[in-house]
Amino acid sequence: MTTVEIPLTTRKDWSSDQEVKWCPGCGDYSILAAVQMLMPDLGVRREKTVFVSGIGCAARFPYYMNTYGLHSIHGRAPAIATGLATSRPDLDVWVVSGDGDSLSIGGNHLIHALRRNVNLNILMFNNQIYGLTKGQYSPTSEEGKITKSTPFGSLDHPFNPISVAIGAEATFVARTHDMDRHHMQEMFRRAHAHKGASFVEVYQNCNVFNDGAFEGITGKDNRAEMLIPLTHGEPIRFGTNGDKGVIQGADGHLEIVEVASVGEDALLRHDEHHDDPGLAFALSRLSSGPSMPTPIGVFRDVARPEYGESMTAQVDEAQAKRGTGDLDQLLRSNSFWTVD
Amino acid sequence: MTRQTEQLDRVVIRFAGDSGDGMQLTGDRFTTASATFGNDLATFPDFPAEIRAPAGTLAGVSAFQVHISDHQISTPGDAPTVLVAMNPAGLKANMGVMARGTTLILNVDAFDERSLAKAGYAESPLTDGSLSHYTVYEIPMTSITQNVCKEAGVKPRDAERSKNFFALGLVSWLYTRPTDETLAWIHQKFGGKPQVEEANTRAFRAGYDFGETAELFDARYEVRAASFEPGTYVNVSGNTALAWGLIAAAKMASLPLFLGSYPITPASDILHELSKRKEFGVRTFQAEDEIAGIGSALGAAFGGSLGVTTTSGPGLALKGETLGLAVSLELPLVVVDIQRGGPSTGLPTKTEQSDLLQAMYGRHGEAPLPVIAAKSPSHCFEAAIEATRIAVKYRTPVILLSDGYLGNGTEPWKLPDTSTLGTIEPNFAVAPNHENADGTAVFWPYLRDPETLARPWAPPGVAGLEHRIGGLEKADGSGNVSYDNTNHEKMTHLRRDKIAGIANDIADVEVDDPSGQANLLVIGWGSTFGSISAGVQRTRAKGQQVAQVHLTHLNPFPKNLGEVLKAYEHVLVPEMNLGQLSRLLRSEYLVDAKSLSKMQGSPFRAAEIEAAIAEILGA
């Protein structure tokens, strides 16, 4: 095999000539910048990179990347990207989506792409609101939320996107937020490196319709006390002085404790590669919304056969056994007769 | 006893029994034996939606009708000449189509009180005289089968399942069918289960021998081989031919074939067939729903595959939104609709042609796309190639219409010389196609071919052609998002004109009007071809003149169609719907197209077409 050198690129090479049209101050800008700046480091080619999206504010993302891109229909990006990724294993396929796109209209496609483990990097920008349709509650909005469509408060119990992804047995699940470029890039880099479906929830501020939704946990002064960093192999610990931690109780459920009261050895050590999704799921349940200490980082990173690769293997196997397909033979594969 | 063998020019046999009685298998084997024997034939499998409806009831009757002949035929026959009924329900459900004087072969073992009651018989038809105008053969098929199987150590309950092979053996004897192939097939199919193989073989032989020795039958019958053009033939169903056509088309275009599909009756057999053929590089993806079926196919098309999705009416409705995107993206895509009775779940195993208007108009926005229809089981092969040719050349989704009757029905097909199939050129974009004001070469995904109005197809992987496309309206040429109002109108016109222009690239309709004297034109589309042709032939046999046109291209229509229609005083449009084509013809050409409707889940009978023609022409 010959090694083809990847040309050196800069952020500029990955930015399209289209004017970015999100509202000024939108969290999407910082996510776009993080991605555009990360791409030159990933050792990939623009022409082999495709961004696929559905509908919503986040879904405009592909227009701003100087790669191949497909802005499709509401909720369907994982399905469309599945066809692309499985038929073109040579491509890097990213899906950019929002909470409504991924978890409401497109919930079915998301969970099936995850369980099949299609080689997709799915970035879900969660702003807990419908932005593009001007401010209705979303499937991740907190209960009782007052919006244009819920003047008396929403009745829906919200999805926890990480729980949904782990419930679907996604092989890579992570959470990050739009206020920390370095952390975002680390999560995106890990998602890209993972073979199979990667799901990254990005807490993203909609400064027009849901401003400050995550400020309580992602604000610079709040992070130490409110974000629980997950580091593989390390005890799960947070707080300004590292004084809080997570333990697993006798009945298996997780709880936040003062480290001093249980001792450091009692803390749960984070294991991304734990095969059973139960522990990662329990971690996702530590917080039911951005008003509580919330785990951030990689919840789960396990290996399972990638769908497109398995599909290709079946084709290869058939061709190794039967050759590359003879049309005349095909037409005669049932009983035939000859008239002279 | 010495028997004579009577020559028949054709015979229509209907096998009927419970859903679990193996009637489809029996019919299929009889058909195969007849096909290899050299008869022309057409089949009509007719079964309920339930896998195992309550045993013995009318709802559970599964039937298979086969028409074999010594001359060219085009339909599975208006009415059976022989009914093989494995139980009272099989008899009762089909008596409506049996003319007096026809033959009934009954499994008399199944005519017990309980089964009679289940079928709704107050009195046994065997004794109440209701069958006196028929030639009835009462044969204890179940008990004979059990007896011959007992010797091989097969339990009576298991042996009972082989009674369809007894029926097959008997009918094979009655119509002097060769037996070797059926016995070989039993061995091949059941070789892994020696007891089942033994039971089926014994039952088949017992049926055959029963005919020979029972002195019940005065004569055997023979339907001689029909004369076919020299060539190699197979008996093919529409769904199989369609799957093979897709494989052939992908090969012609040198494109990998990707099928995204969700199981739905009566289209699933295409998914089954294609999933077996991975050596052709075929990727089949059983999606989570109909939407993901077409979505994945469209994603694969963006990536440079021949994207295909297969479905039936309800699934086509779910795919409507993605079809709109495909029209906007202008990517090749083949969407196959094996129509069935609707609306909603309707009659999922029965045939209908009621999705024509959905195919034409069932989308949001102005979203024209080509629609083509197959006219016979074997024609599905050619239709799949034509759908692909148009999709690839014009970068457009194409809807290919077939239906349950074509999909499951079979006919002998003279295999084409595959070396003459030709090629389909994908013409992928390889280089930038536009120069910016500053002199830089760029790629414009919506810069059209001036002749076909097709846009370039540039799958990912080529440096310098990176581009973004989507469902938002695009600026003519550059393809960038554009909300400009005059650009939108221009793009709407361009999308329309591109599809309309395909009329220049398809053959004119051929008018079948031997005398040139007809003043009535019968025009149809899709699976009615066989029935209409038979009805037209009958009319001509009476000395009357009638012209026939059958459409494969429904959007756009062939260029000469208006002229052809206007040359006739009367236009009759038989369709298995409420008159969808006639509505299109009326609105497009302002002709007084009269509709002949049928929505009974089964194809037109030739006699129905003949009668409708007679009504217009006068007797």
Side-chain angles (χ1 to χ4, degrees):
Chain A
M1 209 172 118
T2 51
T3 4
V4 184
E5 220 168 283
I6 306 293
L8 289 178
T9 54
T10 65
R11 175 182 180 182
K12 197 163 164 276
D13 295 306
W14 293 85
S15 311
S16 78
D17 60 355
Q18 297 298 294
E19 186 192 347
V20 184
K21 289 180 181 164
W22 288 311
C23 306
C26 176
D28 288 353
Y29 283 95
S30 68
I31 307 173
L32 177 65
V35 172
Q36 287 174 340
M37 286 189 226
L38 173 69
M39 297 310 286
D41 288 348
L42 290 183
V44 294
R45 292 169 167 274
R46 287 187 315 158
E47 68 270 20
K48 293 278 194 180
T49 306
V50 187
F51 281 82
V52 181
S53 66
I55 293 294
C57 294
R60 301 297 176 95
F61 200 95
Y63 288 121
Y64 309 134
M65 295 297 298
N66 191 10
T67 63
Y68 284 88
L70 184 48
H71 175 220
S72 73
I73 34 183
H74 209 8
R76 316 302 172 205
I80 290 168
T82 292
L84 178 61
T86 56
S87 63
R88 289 291 305 274
D90 59 315
L91 300 177
D92 255 337
V93 183
W94 299 73
V95 171
V96 180
S97 177
D99 41 313
D101 193 55
S102 264
L103 292 172
S104 207
I105 194 165
N108 198 35
H109 306 304
L110 176 71
I111 57 174
H112 288 280
L114 294 178
R115 73 156 168 107
R116 290 189 183 109
N117 204 30
V118 182
N119 199 19
L120 302 172
N121 308 312
I122 303 173
L123 312 184
M124 195 203 82
F125 304 176
N126 181 9
N127 55 20
Q128 302 192 348
I129 198 78
Y130 280 87
L132 200 61
T133 50
K134 300 192 174 66
Q136 301 81 13
Y137 75 107
S138 92
T140 55
S141 296
E142 65 276 15
E143 270 180 56
K145 190 167 191 70
I146 307 282
T147 70
K148 279 181 191 151
S149 60
T150 50
F152 301 102
S154 71
L155 303 173
D156 298 33
H157 183 69
F159 264 139
N160 176 330
I162 300 290
S163 299
V164 171
I166 295 171
E169 292 189 52
T171 53
F172 182 93
V173 182
R175 176 187 281 144
T176 184
H177 67 92
D178 63 0
M179 301 288 283
D180 187 341
R181 177 180 300 156
H182 177 76
H183 192 265
M184 276 194 283
Q185 290 183 328
E186 189 49 32
M187 293 303 105
F188 300 160
R189 186 195 307 274
R190 290 278 312 272
H192 176 259
H194 177 77
K195 205 167 82 178
S198 308
F199 178 82
V200 184
E201 177 188 23
V202 187
Y203 282 158
Q204 173 249 323
N205 191 44
C206 171
N207 59 319
V208 174
F209 294 108
N210 203 18
D211 195 24
F214 305 102
E215 179 65 24
I217 60 171
T218 64
K220 273 212 160 65
D221 299 338
N222 304 328
R223 289 180 202 170
E225 287 295 317
M226 298 301 279
L227 292 181
I228 309 174
L230 300 174
T231 310
H232 178 68
E234 298 291 323
I236 301 173
R237 197 165 178 167
F238 68 107
T240 315
N241 307 310
D243 53 342
K244 298 190 190 70
V246 173
I247 61 162
Q248 188 166 24
D251 64 352
H253 91 282
L254 303 186
E255 62 181 293
I256 293 168
V257 295
E258 297 288 335
V259 177
S261 69
V262 296
E264 199 179 324
D265 290 346
L267 295 183
L268 179 68
R269 269 181 198 277
H270 183 46
D271 179 8
E272 294 169 350
H273 311 316
H274 199 67
D275 194 45
D276 185 293
L279 203 57
F281 187 84
L283 273 173
S284 77
R285 310 308 299 168
L286 271 177
S287 159
S288 59
S291 59
M292 304 159 70
T294 300
I296 195 143
V298 177
F299 285 73
R300 177 170 157 86
D301 180 6
V302 298
R304 198 166 77 221
E306 191 273 313
Y307 192 81
E309 207 171 76
S310 305
M311 195 186 255
T312 304
Q314 284 193 338
V315 170
D316 291 346
E317 202 180 313
Q319 293 186 333
K321 224 185 272 174
R322 297 181 236 166
T324 50
D326 178 320
L327 206 50
D328 287 311
Q329 226 170 7
L330 173 72
L331 301 185
R332 288 160 182 78
S333 55
N334 295 341
S335 56
F336 60 92
W337 66 96
T338 304
V339 176
D340 299 319
Chain B
M1 109 185 228
T2 50
R3 280 195 195 88
Q4 60 197 48
T5 299
E6 280 181 27
Q7 298 297 325
L8 298 175
D9 63 340
R10 64 186 198 101
V11 64
V12 179
I13 304 171
R14 194 169 171 91
F15 296 93
D18 226 24
S19 298
D21 281 346
M23 291 297 97
Q24 301 305 316
L25 186 78
T26 308
D28 195 53
R29 291 325 301 167
F30 187 81
T31 301
T32 305
S34 301
T36 41
F37 179 72
N39 296 125
D40 194 16
L41 59 89
T43 67
F44 175 42
D46 189 12
F47 47 88
E50 292 75 18
I51 306 301
R52 295 275 190 279
T57 63
L58 292 178
V61 172
S62 172
F64 188 103
Q65 186 166 316
V66 52
H67 184 184
I68 58 175
S69 77
D70 67 1
H71 55 282
Q72 304 302 313
I73 51 168
S74 57
T75 78
D78 278 13
T81 39
V82 179
L83 173 69
V84 180
M86 301 305 287
N87 66 0
L91 175 68
K92 187 160 192 193
N94 290 295
M95 281 312 287
V97 295
M98 299 306 295
R100 285 180 171 201
T102 55
T103 299
L104 309 175
I105 299 176
L106 309 177
N107 175 21
V108 74
D109 285 334
F111 282 66
D112 56 273
E113 223 167 275
R114 200 157 152 260
S115 301
L116 287 165
K118 267 196 198 161
Y121 279 116
E123 266 188 77
S124 172
L126 304 179
T127 53
D128 70 357
S130 62
L131 304 180
S132 57
H133 297 295
Y134 299 86
T135 305
V136 182
Y137 296 104
E138 299 178 23
I139 299 167
M141 301 189 198
T142 309
S143 46
I144 299 178
T145 301
Q146 284 171 330
N147 281 339
V148 297
C149 288
K150 201 168 150 190
E151 298 154 20
V154 181
K155 288 187 199 124
R157 235 192 126 113
D158 295 335
E160 194 262 341
R161 290 202 200 110
S162 297
K163 64 181 183 294
N164 59 324
F165 281 93
F166 180 94
L168 179 61
L170 177 64
V171 179
S172 296
W173 174 83
L174 192 57
Y175 290 97
T176 51
R177 303 285 94 179
T179 56
D180 294 356
E181 188 178 317
T182 301
L183 288 166
W185 179 85
I186 291 174
H187 175 67
Q188 188 206 334
K189 175 93 177 170
F190 301 104
K193 297 174 187 162
Q195 240 196 9
V196 180
E197 183 192 350
E198 181 68 19
N200 288 340
T201 304
R202 280 171 176 261
F204 178 77
R205 285 191 195 282
Y208 196 89
D209 295 346
F210 182 88
E212 185 73 39
T213 55
E215 300 198 356
L216 209 55
F217 300 93
D218 300 332
R220 305 173 73 176
Y221 303 94
E222 187 173 50
V223 181
R224 288 205 177 127
S227 73
F228 283 97
E229 282 174 41
T232 302
Y233 287 80
V234 298
N235 182 44
V236 75
S237 74
N239 280 347
T240 302
L242 203 154
W244 292 352
L246 291 170
I247 290 174
K251 237 180 143 72
M252 291 161 68
S254 300
L255 293 174
L257 176 58
F258 182 98
L259 173 74
S261 182
Y262 188 75
I264 186 169
T265 304
S268 303
D269 280 343
I270 303 172
L271 168 62
H272 303 161
E273 179 63 24
L274 286 175
S275 63
K276 286 193 290 195
R277 307 298 180 186
K278 296 196 195 305
E279 69 270 27
F280 287 90
V282 176
R283 284 163 198 268
T284 54
F285 173 63
Q286 184 177 315
E288 58 269 25
D289 57 27
E290 294 281 357
I291 297 168
I294 186 173
S296 60
L298 184 61
F302 179 73
S305 286
L306 172 60
V308 179
T309 188
T310 48
T311 191
S312 189
L316 186 63
L318 283 163
K319 295 182 197 297
E321 187 193 24
T322 312
L323 274 171
L325 177 65
V327 168
S328 176
L329 292 181
E330 303 192 41
L331 282 170
L333 185 70
V334 176
V335 178
V336 179
D337 176 5
I338 313 296
Q339 301 163 92
R340 65 190 211 187
S344 192
T345 312
L347 303 174
T349 59
K350 309 287 179 184
T351 197
E352 207 161 272
Q353 295 181 297
S354 43
D355 292 343
L356 175 58
L357 293 182
Q358 181 181 211
M360 287 290 295
Y361 301 120
R363 286 169 295 286
H364 53 288
E366 294 288 356
L369 51 72
V371 179
I372 73 173
K375 64 180 181 181
S376 75
S378 67
H379 184 246
C380 288
F381 181 82
E382 215 173 286
I385 293 174
E386 176 66 354
T388 304
R389 181 188 74 86
I390 292 174
V392 170
K393 182 167 178 183
Y394 293 90
R395 319 304 200 202
T396 177
V398 174
I399 294 181
L400 167 54
L401 296 173
S402 170
D403 59 34
Y405 166 52
L406 290 187
N408 291 324
T410 64
E411 65 178 354
W413 175 38
K414 185 186 166 192
L415 295 180
D417 177 355
T418 56
S419 67
T420 62
L421 287 176
T423 55
I424 296 169
E425 298 300 334
N427 284 323
F428 289 132
V430 290
N433 57 0
H434 180 76
E435 200 171 288
N436 275 346
D438 65 2
T440 48
V442 292
F443 177 63
W444 274 17
Y446 279 78
L447 199 59
R448 294 169 192 279
D449 178 303
E451 200 176 311
T452 60
L453 297 181
R455 75 172 191 89
W457 186 11
V462 181
L465 303 190
E466 292 87 353
H467 64 282
R468 278 68 54 193
I469 54 177
L472 286 168
E473 185 59 281
K474 288 153 284 281
D476 179 29
S478 75
N480 287 327
V481 173
S482 167
Y483 301 123
D484 181 88
N485 45 15
T486 55
N487 174 74
H488 173 59
E489 186 165 72
K490 185 178 183 192
M491 290 295 277
T492 306
H493 286 152
L494 279 168
R495 286 186 287 260
R496 177 199 60 189
D497 294 346
K498 180 178 81 167
I499 303 307
I502 295 170
N504 298 315
D505 195 15
I506 60 178
D508 278 351
V509 287
E510 284 176 36
V511 185
D512 174 29
D513 185 0
S515 67
Q517 304 292 311
N519 65 4
L520 165 64
L521 173 70
V522 186
I523 179 169
W525 66 280
S527 72
T528 50
F529 178 65
S531 311
I532 295 175
S533 300
V536 163
Q537 292 305 330
R538 289 185 183 197
T539 303
R540 288 180 188 156
K542 292 187 293 191
Q544 289 184 303
Q545 307 308 323
V546 58
Q548 184 187 359
V549 158
H550 208 77
L551 294 173
T552 293
H553 294 92
L554 294 154
N555 193 39
F557 284 131
K559 269 201 304 196
N560 67 332
L561 184 58
E563 205 182 301
V564 166
L565 290 168
K566 283 171 184 153
Y568 291 90
E569 189 186 340
H570 302 287
V571 174
L572 176 67
V573 193
E575 293 178 88
M576 293 187 287
N577 60 43
L578 279 174
Q580 299 189 10
L581 176 64
S582 71
R583 184 177 288 255
L584 292 176
L585 296 177
R586 282 167 165 266
S587 83
E588 187 72 21
Y589 301 111
L590 296 174
V591 294
D592 183 18
K594 282 201 173 56
S595 174
L596 173 63
S597 268
K598 184 177 185 183
M599 284 140 302
Q600 298 175 14
S602 56
F604 277 104
R605 299 201 172 98
E608 291 167 334
I609 304 290
E610 185 189 1
I613 292 171
E615 200 172 305
I616 294 171
L617 294 182

